[in-house]
C-alpha cells in the first residue's frame, strides 16, 4: 500500500527551515539569553529528524550528503583549536576573550571567542544525534 | 665490596656460568667445575678460626639500601664461622658425592648444580648477615632453592607434592619471621642484629616482645622441622639423596637453630622463650624418634631421626637460656646445655651427612631403600657397612664415637632442669630427663634397625632390582671423610672445644662474659659414675631389648588411627581451604548482575548509615528552607504517581511512557526553579531517550516479550527502601549542615565583565568551566562512535 503523506512532506519542508533558524537563533544568542550550543544542536538535529520521519533515510541522505561522523570530528577539532588558540597569546588553555566589532551592515556587535567553542559543541551535538539516529534507523 | 662479600656471593656468580659449562663441556661431569668453589670457600673460612678463637669478630659492610638502613653487613663470629664451615665443608663433600651419584647422561645436571649453588650462597648469606632484612632475603632464597631441589625430579607426583608442602610450610614460617623482624625494628629502630642485642633491656620490657618472639619462633620452628611443623621433612626425602644429605640434615634445617642461637641474647631472658623452645624441642625429639621406628624407608627413618635430633638441639638451646638466670651461680650448671647444643650440632652434621650418603649408596647399588626388601648386604658392601655402623652407633650415642659425648652432655643438661626453681620447673622439670631418656631409647632402636635390617640378616636377591656390589670409590670418599670425623671428634673432642665451640658459645651467650673473659670447655670422655652414665647404660639395655622384640611391639603403631596424623590434618586442611574458597566464590560470584547489585547496594546502605551513625551526623534542620508553592506540590504528586506507575506497571510500554512523564515533569521543575537552559535541554533529551526506549522495546525478541508483572522480592524491596532512605538522610543532613557559603556570587558578578555574556549558565559552560564541556562533547562523540561500531561491526555473524 502506497502511503500518500503529501501534507506531512509539504509541511515538513517548510517547518524544517524554521526549526533550523530557531536553532541558529538559540545558538547565537546563547551567551545572553537561554540557549547555547547544546540546545541549539539538539534543535537542529530535531529538524533533520523531522525530515527523516517525513521522507526515508535514503532520500534525506541524498538531499543532505553529510557524513555526520565527520561533523563530530570537526566539532571536536573546532573546540580544541579554540582552546589551543589561547596559547598564541601566551595565556592558559581555553582562556576566552571578547570584544566589540563595528561591522558594516550590523553595526556594533559583540563577539566572544567562547562562541567559537560553542560552535564546536553545536557541531558535535548535531553530529552525535544524527549519527545515532541514522545508524539505528538504517539497521535491519 | 670486600673479599668476604665476594666469597659469600661467589656461589651465585658460579651459578650463572654453570649452564654454559654444562652445554659446552658435555664430556666432563659438570660437578667437577663446581667442586673447587666450596673447597676454596672452606679454606677461606678456616683462616678465621684464629681470629674468632681469640674472641674477635670480623665484619664488612656494603651499602644496599642505605636510606632504609638496609646494608649487606657480613660478619664472622664464632657462631657464623661454625655454620659457614659446616656449609662449605659438607657442601664440598656433597658435590663430590653427587658427581658419582647423578649420571651425566640422564640427569639435568645444570639445573641441579645451579639450584645447589643458589642454596649454598643463600645459606652462607643467612649465617653471615648482620642485617635482619638481608637475613630474611637469604632465608627465603633457601626456601626457594630447597623447593627447586626437592622437586628436582619434577616428573614424579610425590616430588611435586613434597616440594609444595615444604614450600608452603617454610614460607609460612618465613613470612611470620619477617613480621617478627619488623616488630624488632619497631622496638629498637635498627635492623642490625648486634645493635638490637645492645638494646636487649629495652626490648624485654616492651609490650611487643611476645608477638615478636612468637613470630620469630614460628619461622625457626618451621624451618627446622619442629613439632608440629615437621611434616614437610619426610616428604622432602623425594629429593635426590645428595640434596637430602646436604639440605635436610646438615644445613638448611639448622637455619632455624642458627636463628634461635643468634637471637638468644635478645630473647633468652623471657620465660616464654625458655618454655617454648625447650618444650617444643623435647616434644619434637620424642615424637621424631618414636615415629622413626615405624618407618620402612631408610630415608624416612633418617628424616624422622633428623627431626628428633633437631629437637634435641633445640631443647638444649632452650634449657641453656636458663644460664642467664643463674649467672651469679658459681660453676653455672646450665651453660653445659649450650656447649652440648653446639657440640651436637657439629656431630649431627657429620654422622647424619654420612648416613644419608650411605643410604644413597644402598639405594644406588640395589635399587631400593625399603628395609623389608633389604638384608644381608654386609658381604657385598663391607665399606658401606662399616660406615653405617660408625654413623648409626654415633647417632645412638655409643662410645667411642662423638654422639656418645654429646648425648652424655645432653643428659647432663636435662638432668639439671630438675634442679631449677623458676617457671614451675620444680614440678614439671622431671618430664625433661624422662622424655629425653625415652627418646634416646627409640633413637637407639632405629639406629640399630638401619644397620642390622639393611646389612645383616637374610639376603633376598629376588626382591632387588640390581645385583648389589660395592660403590665406586668417589662415592665412598665423602662418607669416609665424615665417618673419620665422627671418630676423630669422638676420640679428641677438645680439638673442637677451643677453636669452634667456645667462640660459638660466646656468640650465643655474650652477656655471661665480662670483658676479656672466655668460656672454658673441656669435654672429657670419662666423667665418673654419674647419673648420665647410668642413663646411657639403661638406654643401651632397654634399647637392645626393644630392638630384638621389635616385631612384637611395632604393631602398637597400627592402633594410632591414620585419620589423626598431622599429615592428614595438613592434607585435609589444604583441601578444605581449597573447597572453602571455591564454595565461597561460587556463593558470591554468581554471575548474575542482580546479585552483585544487591551486594553493592547493601554495602552502600551499611557504610553510609554506619558512617552517619558513628559520626553522629543526623542533622535535620528546616530553618533554611524556602516556602513550598502549590505548583511544586502538584508536580511532586505527578512525579510520585508516574514513578509508582513505572514500578508497578504490567507492560513495558506503560513503564516507558511513565518514565517520559517523570522526565517532562522534571523539565517543568526546571522551569519552576528558573532554569530555562536545563528545561530546554531536558525536554529535548527526554524526547530522544523515550524514542530510543521505544525502539529498544520494539526490537525485543518474541520469546521474551511475555508481558508479565514484576515479581516481588522482599530483599530487593528492603534494599531499595534502604537506599532511598539513606540518600534522603544524606541529602537532608548535608543540606542542614552547610559549612561554607556558595561561590555563585562570583559568577553573577563576573559573567558580564569578565566573559562578556549575560547567560550565566552558558558562560560557565563555555568559558569559566569550558574544560569540562570539552570532555563532555568528547563523551558524546565516543558514545556515537560506539553505537555506530556496535551496530555496523558484526564480525561474529559474518564468521570472520
Amino acid at each position: 500500500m502506497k502511503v500518500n503523506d503529501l501534507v506531512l512532506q509539504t509541511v515538513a519542508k517548510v517547518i524544517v527551515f524554521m526549526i533550523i533558524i530557531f536553532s541558529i537563533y538559540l545558538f547565537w544568542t546563547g551567551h545572553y539569553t537561554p540557549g547555547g550550543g547544546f540546545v541549539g544542536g539538539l534543535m537542529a538535529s530535531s529538524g533533520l529528524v523531522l525530515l527523516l520521519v517525513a521522507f526515508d533515510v535514503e532520500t534525506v541522505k541524498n538531499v543532505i550528503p553529510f557524513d555526520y561522523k565527520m561533523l563530530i570530528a570537526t566539532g571536536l577539532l573546532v573546540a580544541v583549536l579554540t582552546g589551543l588558540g589561547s596559547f598564541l597569546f601566551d595565556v592558559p588553555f581555553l582562556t576566552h576573550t571578547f570584544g566589540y566589532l563595528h561591522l558594516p551592515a550590523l553595526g556594533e556587535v559583540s563577539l566572544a571567542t567562547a562562541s567559537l567553542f560553542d560552535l564546536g559543541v553545536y557541531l558535535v551535538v548535531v553530529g552525535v544525534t544524527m549519527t545515532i539516529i541514522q545508524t539505528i534507523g538504517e539497521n535491519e | 665490596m670486600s673479599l668476604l662479600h665476594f666469597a659469600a656471593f661467589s656461589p651465585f656468580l658460579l651459578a650463572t656460568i654453570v649452564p654454559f659449562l654444562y652445554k659446552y663441556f658435555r664430556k666432563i661431569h659438570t660437578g667437577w667445575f663446581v667442586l673447587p668453589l666450596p673447597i676454596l670457600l672452606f679454606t677461606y673460612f678456616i683462616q678465621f678460626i684464629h681470629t674468632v678463637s681469640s674472641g674477635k669478630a670480623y665484619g664488612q659492610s656494603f651499602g644496599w639500601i642505605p636510606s632504609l638502613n638496609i646494608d649487606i653487613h657480613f660478619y664472622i663470629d664464632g657462631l657464623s664461622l661454625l655454620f659457614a664451615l659446616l656449609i662449605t665443608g659438607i657442601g664440598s663433600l656433597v658435590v663430590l658425592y653427587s658427581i658419582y651419584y647423578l649420571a651425566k647422561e640422564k640427569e639435568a645436571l645444570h639445573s641441579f648444580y645451579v639450584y645447589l649453588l643458589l642454596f649454598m650462597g643463600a645459606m652462607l648469606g643467612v649465617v653471615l648477615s648482620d642485617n635482619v632484612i638481608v637475613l630474611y632475603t637469604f632465608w627465603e632464597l633457601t626456601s626457594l632453592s630447597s623447593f627447586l631441589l626437592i622437586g628436582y625430579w619434577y616428573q614424579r607426583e610425590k616430588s611435586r607434592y613434597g616440594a609444595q608442602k615444604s614450600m608452603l610450610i617454610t614460607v609460612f614460617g618465613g613470612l611470620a619471621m619477617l613480621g617478627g623482624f619488623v616488630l624488632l625494628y619497631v622496638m629498637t629502630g635498627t635492623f642490625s642484629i648486634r645493635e638490637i642485642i645492645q638494646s636487649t633491656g629495652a626490648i624485654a620490657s616492651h609490650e611487643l616482645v611476645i608477638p615478636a618472639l612468637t613470630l620469630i619462633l614460628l619461622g625457626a620452628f618451621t624451618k627446622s622441622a619442629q613439632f608440629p611443623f615437621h611434616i614437610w621433612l619426610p616428604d622432602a626425602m623425594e629429593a635426590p639423596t645428595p640434596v637430602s644429605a646436604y639440605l635436610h640434615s646438615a644445613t638448611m634445617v639448622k637455619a632455624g637453630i642458627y636463628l634461635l642461637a643468634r637471637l638468644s641474647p635478645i630473647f633468652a631472658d623471657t620465660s616464654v622463650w625458655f618454655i617454648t623452645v625447650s618444650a617444643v624441642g623435647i616434644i619434637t625429639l620424642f615424637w621424631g624418634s618414636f615415629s622413626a621406628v615405624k618407618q620402612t624407608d631408610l630415608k624416612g627413618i633418617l628424616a624422622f631421626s633428623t627431626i628428633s635430633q633437631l629437637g634435641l638441639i633445640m631443647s638444649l638451646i632452650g634449657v641453656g637460656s636458663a644460664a642467664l638466670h643463674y649467672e651469679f651461680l658459681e660453676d653455672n650448671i646450665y651453660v653445659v646445655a649450650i656447649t652440648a647444643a653446639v657440640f651436637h650440632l657439629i656431630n649431627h652434621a657429620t654422622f647424619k651427612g654420612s648416613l644419608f650418603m650411605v643410604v644413597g649408596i644402598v639405594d644406588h647399588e640395589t635399587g631400593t631403600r625399603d628395609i623389608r626388601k633389604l638384608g644381608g648386604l654386609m658381604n657385598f658392601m663391607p665399606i658401606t657397612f662399616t660406615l653405617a655402623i660408625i654413623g648409626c652407633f654415633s647417632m645412638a650415642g655409643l662410645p667411642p664415637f662423638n654422639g656418645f659425648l654429646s648425648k652424655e652432655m645432653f643428659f647432663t643438661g636435662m638432668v639439671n632442669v630438675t634442679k631449677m626453681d623458676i617457671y614451675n620447673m620444680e614440678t614439671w622439670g622431671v618430664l625433661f630427663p624422662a622424655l629425653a631418656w625415652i627418646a634416646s631409647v627409640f633413637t637407639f632402636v632405629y639406629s640399630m634397625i638401619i644397620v642390622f635390617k639393611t646389612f645383616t640378616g637374610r639376603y633376598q636377591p629376588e626382591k632387588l632390582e640390581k645385583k648389589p656390589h660395592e660403590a665406586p670409590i668417589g662415592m665412598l670418599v665423602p662418607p669416609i671423610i665424615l665417618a673419620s670425623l665422627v671418630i676423630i671428634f669422638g676420640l679428641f673432642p677438645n680439638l673442637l672445644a677451643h677453636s669452634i665451640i667456645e667462640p660459638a658459645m660466646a656468640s650465643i651467650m655474650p652477656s655471661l662474659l665480662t670483658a676479656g673473659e672466655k668460656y672454658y670447655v673441656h669435654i672429657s670422655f670419662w666423667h665418673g659414675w654419674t647419673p648420665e652414665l647410668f642413663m646411657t647404660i639403661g638406654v643401651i639395655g632397654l634399647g637392645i631389648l626393644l630392638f630384638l622384640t621389635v616385631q612384637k611391639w611395632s604393631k602398637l603403631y597400627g592402633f594410632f588411627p591414620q585419620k589423626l596424623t598431622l599429615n592428614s590434618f595438613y592434607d585435609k586442611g589444604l583441601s578444605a581451604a581449597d573447597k572453602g574458597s571455591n564454595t565461597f566464590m561460587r556463593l558470591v560470584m554468581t554471575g548474575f548482575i542482580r546479585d552483585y547489585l544487591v551486594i553493592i547496594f547493601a554495602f552502600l546502605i551499611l557504610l553510609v548509615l554506619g558512617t552517619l551513625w558513628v559520626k553522629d551526623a543526623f542533622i535535620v534542620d528546616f530553618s533554611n528552607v524556602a516556602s513550598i508553592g502549590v505548583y511544586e506540590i502538584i508536580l511532586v504528586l505527578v512525579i510520585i504517581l508516574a514513578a509508582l506507575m513505572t514500578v508497578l506497571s504490567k507492560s513495558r510500554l506503560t513503564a516507558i511512557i511513565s518514565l517520559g512523564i517523570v522526565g517532562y515533569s522534571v523539565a517543568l521543575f526546571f522551569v519552576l526553579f528558573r532554569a530555562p537552559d536545563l528545561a530546554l535541554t531536558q525536554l529535548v533529551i527526554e524526547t530522544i531517550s523515550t524514542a530510543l526506549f521505544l525502539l529498544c522495546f520494539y526490537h525485543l525478541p518474541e520469546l521474551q516479550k511475555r508481558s508479565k508483572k514484576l515479581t516481588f522480592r522482599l530483599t530487593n524491596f528492603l534494599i531499595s527502601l534502604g537506599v532511598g532512605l539513606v540518600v534522603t538522610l544524606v541529602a537532608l543532613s548535608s543540606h542542614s549542615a552547610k559549612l561554607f557559603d556558595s561561590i555563585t556570587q562570583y559568577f553573577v558578578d563576573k559573567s558580564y565583565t569578565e566573559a562578556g555574556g549575560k547567560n550565566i549558565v552558558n558562560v560557565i559552560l563555555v568559558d569559566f568551566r569550558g574544560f569540562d564541556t570539552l570532555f563532555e562533547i568528547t563523551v558524546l562523540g565516543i558514545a556515537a562512535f560506539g553505537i555506530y561500531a556496535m551496530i555496523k561491526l558484526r564480525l561474529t555473524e559474518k564468521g570472520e
Side-chain angles (χ1 to χ4, degrees), chain B residues 282-314:
Chain B
I282 204 93
I283 291 169
T284 314
L285 165 66
F286 169 73
W287 188 250
S289 63
F290 177 69
S291 308
V293 179
K294 71 172 168 184
Q295 303 296 317
T296 52
D297 178 12
L298 282 174
K299 269 173 104 175
I301 302 178
L302 287 182
F304 278 104
S305 137
T306 304
I307 291 167
S308 93
Q309 305 275 323
L310 291 170
L312 186 156
I313 301 173
M314 204 63 100

Short mmCIF file of all heavy atoms in Angstrom, two decimals, chain B residues 282-314:
data_model
loop_
_atom_site.label_atom_id
_atom_site.label_comp_id
_atom_site.label_asym_id
_atom_site.label_seq_id
_atom_site.Cartn_x
_atom_site.Cartn_y
_atom_site.Cartn_z
N ILE B 282 61.84 -30.73 73.08
CA ILE B 282 61.82 -32.07 73.69
C ILE B 282 60.66 -32.89 73.11
O ILE B 282 60.78 -34.10 72.91
CB ILE B 282 61.75 -31.95 75.23
CG1 ILE B 282 62.31 -33.20 75.89
CG2 ILE B 282 60.36 -31.72 75.73
CD1 ILE B 282 63.75 -33.10 76.21
N ILE B 283 59.54 -32.21 72.80
CA ILE B 283 58.43 -32.95 72.18
C ILE B 283 58.83 -33.44 70.80
O ILE B 283 58.57 -34.59 70.42
CB ILE B 283 57.17 -32.05 72.11
CG1 ILE B 283 56.63 -31.81 73.50
CG2 ILE B 283 56.11 -32.69 71.24
CD1 ILE B 283 55.59 -30.74 73.57
N THR B 284 59.50 -32.55 70.04
CA THR B 284 59.96 -32.96 68.72
C THR B 284 60.92 -34.13 68.82
O THR B 284 60.87 -35.07 68.03
CB THR B 284 60.66 -31.78 68.03
OG1 THR B 284 59.87 -30.64 68.19
CG2 THR B 284 60.87 -32.07 66.57
N LEU B 285 61.82 -34.04 69.79
CA LEU B 285 62.79 -35.12 69.99
C LEU B 285 62.06 -36.44 70.21
O LEU B 285 62.34 -37.44 69.55
CB LEU B 285 63.66 -34.78 71.20
CG LEU B 285 64.48 -35.91 71.78
CD1 LEU B 285 65.54 -36.36 70.79
CD2 LEU B 285 65.15 -35.50 73.08
N PHE B 286 61.10 -36.41 71.11
CA PHE B 286 60.39 -37.65 71.42
C PHE B 286 59.59 -38.12 70.22
O PHE B 286 59.68 -39.28 69.79
CB PHE B 286 59.46 -37.44 72.62
CG PHE B 286 58.52 -38.57 72.82
CD1 PHE B 286 58.98 -39.78 73.33
CD2 PHE B 286 57.19 -38.47 72.45
CE1 PHE B 286 58.12 -40.83 73.49
CE2 PHE B 286 56.33 -39.52 72.60
CZ PHE B 286 56.79 -40.71 73.12
N TRP B 287 58.82 -37.21 69.62
CA TRP B 287 57.92 -37.62 68.55
C TRP B 287 58.70 -38.11 67.33
O TRP B 287 58.33 -39.10 66.70
CB TRP B 287 57.01 -36.46 68.17
CG TRP B 287 55.95 -36.86 67.20
CD1 TRP B 287 55.84 -36.51 65.90
CD2 TRP B 287 54.86 -37.75 67.47
NE1 TRP B 287 54.77 -37.10 65.33
CE2 TRP B 287 54.14 -37.88 66.27
CE3 TRP B 287 54.43 -38.45 68.59
CZ2 TRP B 287 53.00 -38.67 66.17
CZ3 TRP B 287 53.31 -39.24 68.48
CH2 TRP B 287 52.61 -39.34 67.29
N GLY B 288 59.80 -37.42 67.02
CA GLY B 288 60.61 -37.80 65.87
C GLY B 288 61.19 -39.19 66.05
O GLY B 288 61.09 -40.05 65.16
N SER B 289 61.76 -39.46 67.24
CA SER B 289 62.39 -40.76 67.42
C SER B 289 61.33 -41.86 67.51
O SER B 289 61.53 -42.98 67.02
CB SER B 289 63.28 -40.76 68.65
OG SER B 289 62.50 -40.54 69.79
N PHE B 290 60.20 -41.53 68.11
CA PHE B 290 59.12 -42.51 68.22
C PHE B 290 58.61 -42.88 66.82
O PHE B 290 58.39 -44.04 66.51
CB PHE B 290 58.00 -41.91 69.07
CG PHE B 290 56.79 -42.77 69.21
CD1 PHE B 290 56.86 -43.94 69.96
CD2 PHE B 290 55.60 -42.42 68.61
CE1 PHE B 290 55.75 -44.75 70.09
CE2 PHE B 290 54.50 -43.23 68.74
CZ PHE B 290 54.56 -44.39 69.48
N SER B 291 58.43 -41.86 65.95
CA SER B 291 57.90 -42.13 64.62
C SER B 291 58.92 -42.79 63.71
O SER B 291 58.55 -43.48 62.76
CB SER B 291 57.44 -40.83 63.95
OG SER B 291 56.60 -40.12 64.79
N ALA B 292 60.20 -42.57 63.99
CA ALA B 292 61.22 -43.11 63.09
C ALA B 292 61.17 -44.63 63.08
O ALA B 292 61.43 -45.26 62.05
CB ALA B 292 62.60 -42.62 63.51
N VAL B 293 60.82 -45.22 64.22
CA VAL B 293 60.90 -46.68 64.33
C VAL B 293 59.93 -47.36 63.39
O VAL B 293 60.18 -48.44 62.88
CB VAL B 293 60.65 -47.09 65.80
CG1 VAL B 293 60.70 -48.59 65.94
CG2 VAL B 293 61.69 -46.45 66.68
N LYS B 294 58.79 -46.72 63.13
CA LYS B 294 57.80 -47.42 62.31
C LYS B 294 58.04 -47.25 60.82
O LYS B 294 57.34 -47.85 60.00
CB LYS B 294 56.39 -46.95 62.67
CG LYS B 294 56.09 -45.54 62.20
CD LYS B 294 54.63 -45.20 62.43
CE LYS B 294 54.41 -43.71 62.23
NZ LYS B 294 53.07 -43.28 62.51
N GLN B 295 59.02 -46.43 60.44
CA GLN B 295 59.27 -46.22 59.01
C GLN B 295 59.89 -47.46 58.39
O GLN B 295 60.63 -48.20 59.05
CB GLN B 295 60.22 -45.04 58.79
CG GLN B 295 59.74 -43.75 59.38
CD GLN B 295 58.45 -43.27 58.74
OE1 GLN B 295 58.30 -43.32 57.53
NE2 GLN B 295 57.52 -42.85 59.57
N THR B 296 59.59 -47.67 57.11
CA THR B 296 60.22 -48.79 56.41
C THR B 296 61.21 -48.29 55.37
O THR B 296 62.03 -49.06 54.88
CB THR B 296 59.16 -49.65 55.72
OG1 THR B 296 58.36 -48.79 54.92
CG2 THR B 296 58.30 -50.37 56.72
N ASP B 297 61.10 -47.02 55.01
CA ASP B 297 62.01 -46.44 54.05
C ASP B 297 63.22 -45.91 54.80
O ASP B 297 63.08 -45.22 55.81
CB ASP B 297 61.27 -45.30 53.32
CG ASP B 297 62.18 -44.60 52.33
OD1 ASP B 297 63.27 -45.12 52.06
OD2 ASP B 297 61.77 -43.53 51.84
N LEU B 298 64.41 -46.24 54.31
CA LEU B 298 65.62 -45.82 55.04
C LEU B 298 65.67 -44.31 55.15
O LEU B 298 66.00 -43.75 56.19
CB LEU B 298 66.87 -46.32 54.30
CG LEU B 298 67.20 -47.79 54.51
CD1 LEU B 298 68.37 -48.18 53.63
CD2 LEU B 298 67.56 -48.04 55.97
N LYS B 299 65.34 -43.61 54.05
CA LYS B 299 65.38 -42.16 54.11
C LYS B 299 64.29 -41.62 55.03
O LYS B 299 64.45 -40.57 55.65
CB LYS B 299 65.25 -41.55 52.71
CG LYS B 299 66.60 -41.34 52.05
CD LYS B 299 66.44 -40.92 50.61
CE LYS B 299 66.70 -39.45 50.44
NZ LYS B 299 66.66 -39.09 49.00
N GLY B 300 63.17 -42.35 55.10
CA GLY B 300 62.11 -41.94 56.03
C GLY B 300 62.61 -42.00 57.46
O GLY B 300 62.39 -41.10 58.26
N ILE B 301 63.32 -43.11 57.79
CA ILE B 301 63.88 -43.22 59.14
C ILE B 301 64.82 -42.06 59.41
O ILE B 301 64.76 -41.40 60.45
CB ILE B 301 64.65 -44.54 59.30
CG1 ILE B 301 63.74 -45.73 59.01
CG2 ILE B 301 65.25 -44.65 60.69
CD1 ILE B 301 64.45 -47.06 59.10
N LEU B 302 65.69 -41.79 58.42
CA LEU B 302 66.66 -40.72 58.63
C LEU B 302 65.97 -39.36 58.75
O LEU B 302 66.43 -38.50 59.49
CB LEU B 302 67.67 -40.70 57.47
CG LEU B 302 68.66 -41.86 57.50
CD1 LEU B 302 69.63 -41.73 56.35
CD2 LEU B 302 69.42 -41.88 58.81
N ALA B 303 64.88 -39.19 58.01
CA ALA B 303 64.17 -37.91 58.10
C ALA B 303 63.63 -37.70 59.50
O ALA B 303 63.84 -36.65 60.11
CB ALA B 303 63.04 -37.86 57.08
N PHE B 304 62.96 -38.73 60.03
CA PHE B 304 62.42 -38.58 61.39
C PHE B 304 63.54 -38.49 62.40
O PHE B 304 63.42 -37.79 63.42
CB PHE B 304 61.48 -39.73 61.71
CG PHE B 304 60.10 -39.49 61.17
CD1 PHE B 304 59.66 -40.15 60.05
CD2 PHE B 304 59.26 -38.57 61.79
CE1 PHE B 304 58.40 -39.92 59.55
CE2 PHE B 304 58.00 -38.33 61.29
CZ PHE B 304 57.57 -39.00 60.16
N SER B 305 64.64 -39.20 62.12
CA SER B 305 65.78 -39.10 63.03
C SER B 305 66.32 -37.68 63.03
O SER B 305 66.64 -37.12 64.08
CB SER B 305 66.83 -40.11 62.59
OG SER B 305 68.09 -39.55 62.62
N THR B 306 66.38 -37.06 61.83
CA THR B 306 66.83 -35.66 61.77
C THR B 306 65.90 -34.77 62.58
O THR B 306 66.35 -33.91 63.34
CB THR B 306 66.84 -35.18 60.31
OG1 THR B 306 67.65 -36.06 59.56
CG2 THR B 306 67.37 -33.78 60.21
N ILE B 307 64.60 -35.01 62.41
CA ILE B 307 63.64 -34.21 63.17
C ILE B 307 63.91 -34.32 64.66
O ILE B 307 63.98 -33.33 65.39
CB ILE B 307 62.20 -34.68 62.84
CG1 ILE B 307 61.85 -34.32 61.41
CG2 ILE B 307 61.21 -34.09 63.81
CD1 ILE B 307 60.60 -34.99 60.91
N SER B 308 64.14 -35.56 65.11
CA SER B 308 64.29 -35.73 66.55
C SER B 308 65.61 -35.13 67.03
O SER B 308 65.67 -34.53 68.10
CB SER B 308 64.17 -37.20 66.91
OG SER B 308 65.42 -37.82 66.94
N GLN B 309 66.66 -35.26 66.21
CA GLN B 309 67.94 -34.68 66.65
C GLN B 309 67.89 -33.16 66.66
O GLN B 309 68.50 -32.51 67.50
CB GLN B 309 69.06 -35.14 65.71
CG GLN B 309 69.17 -36.64 65.57
CD GLN B 309 70.02 -37.24 66.67
OE1 GLN B 309 70.99 -36.65 67.09
NE2 GLN B 309 69.64 -38.41 67.13
N LEU B 310 67.14 -32.60 65.69
CA LEU B 310 66.98 -31.14 65.70
C LEU B 310 66.23 -30.72 66.96
O LEU B 310 66.54 -29.68 67.56
CB LEU B 310 66.23 -30.69 64.46
CG LEU B 310 66.97 -30.81 63.14
CD1 LEU B 310 66.03 -30.57 61.99
CD2 LEU B 310 68.12 -29.83 63.10
N GLY B 311 65.24 -31.52 67.33
CA GLY B 311 64.52 -31.23 68.57
C GLY B 311 65.44 -31.26 69.76
O GLY B 311 65.34 -30.42 70.67
N LEU B 312 66.37 -32.21 69.73
CA LEU B 312 67.34 -32.32 70.83
C LEU B 312 68.15 -31.03 70.95
O LEU B 312 68.27 -30.45 72.02
CB LEU B 312 68.25 -33.51 70.52
CG LEU B 312 69.28 -33.99 71.53
CD1 LEU B 312 69.58 -35.45 71.23
CD2 LEU B 312 70.55 -33.21 71.46
N ILE B 313 68.67 -30.57 69.80
CA ILE B 313 69.49 -29.36 69.84
C ILE B 313 68.64 -28.17 70.29
O ILE B 313 69.07 -27.34 71.10
CB ILE B 313 70.11 -29.10 68.45
CG1 ILE B 313 70.96 -30.30 68.02
CG2 ILE B 313 70.95 -27.85 68.46
CD1 ILE B 313 71.46 -30.22 66.61
N MET B 314 67.42 -28.12 69.76
CA MET B 314 66.52 -27.02 70.10
C MET B 314 66.27 -26.99 71.61
O MET B 314 66.33 -25.93 72.24
CB MET B 314 65.20 -27.25 69.35
CG MET B 314 64.37 -26.03 69.10
SD MET B 314 65.20 -24.84 68.08
CE MET B 314 64.49 -25.13 66.49
#
